[in-house]
Amino acid sequence: PRAWELRQVYYAQKDLQVRRGVFSGDRLELGRIVRGQDPRRANLEEAIVLPVPAQVQLTRSGFEATQPSALGGTLHIREDGRIWRTTK
């Protein structure tokens, strides 16, 4: 599930890139987009929108999102969709 959470950040970032030409470091804004893309969450009140669980940084080439891995270490995803795990 944690890799899927990162993939949702990737899809939200791609949505922003298409609509506005930029990526976002705002976890709440990304959470709103994820909510809008997930039919199970679409009927939630605005106040219930949660920030994406990942930490998001803008980089020179786009963005990188990270969160702790269930196997230890950290999972990463970047603007090209590549996911990897680091152990330190």
Side-chain angles (χ1 to χ4, degrees), residues 51-68:
V52 293
Q55 298 300 312
V56 182
Q57 290 184 37
L58 298 180
T59 65
R60 292 182 75 172
S61 58
F63 73 91
E64 184 175 321
T66 60
Q67 71 177 39

Side-chain angles (χ1 to χ4, degrees), residues 45-86:
E45 295 176 30
E46 182 69 19
I48 298 175
V49 174
L50 299 174
V52 293
Q55 298 300 312
V56 182
Q57 290 184 37
L58 298 180
T59 65
R60 292 182 75 172
S61 58
F63 73 91
E64 184 175 321
T66 60
Q67 71 177 39
S69 168
L71 302 174
T74 304
L75 284 173
H76 305 253
I77 193 167
R78 63 184 187 202
E79 67 283 339
D80 63 0
R82 180 173 180 254
I83 294 178
W84 72 99
R85 185 171 65 93
T86 56

Side-chain angles (χ1 to χ4, degrees), residues 24-33 49-56:
S24 175
D26 183 338
R27 295 172 56 228
L28 190 56
E29 177 179 30
L30 294 169
R32 284 188 189 101
I33 294 168
V49 174
L50 299 174
V52 293
Q55 298 300 312
V56 182

